[in-house]
Amino acid sequence: MGELVEAMLLAPVLRPMIAGVSILGDYETDVLARELAQHDRGGFAALIAARLEQPR
């Protein structure tokens, strides 16, 4: 779950960074964001997942 949230947060950050690359559109940017989030070991996604798994 944390990876999904991280990917949603990364995509808007990546879009302006790769705007000049004409072969990458929104779909490719979203795929890139998901790949980055999936390979982020113990980083932001892990923090989000830990927070979401805490009992309320």
Side-chain angles (χ1 to χ4, degrees):
M1 179 68 168
E3 291 174 4
L4 176 63
V5 174
E6 182 176 356
M8 290 185 337
L9 294 172
L10 276 174
V13 173
L14 291 174
R15 280 191 181 94
M17 293 172 64
I18 60 173
V21 182
S22 61
I23 62 169
L24 296 177
D26 285 341
Y27 175 77
E28 291 83 6
T29 303
D30 291 341
V31 170
L32 178 61
R34 283 195 302 269
E35 285 296 316
L36 288 171
Q38 286 176 352
H39 292 93
D40 182 19
R41 301 287 180 239
F44 191 57
L47 292 173
I48 294 170
R51 177 69 177 131
L52 292 173
E53 293 172 1
Q54 287 181 349
R56 294 177 185 231

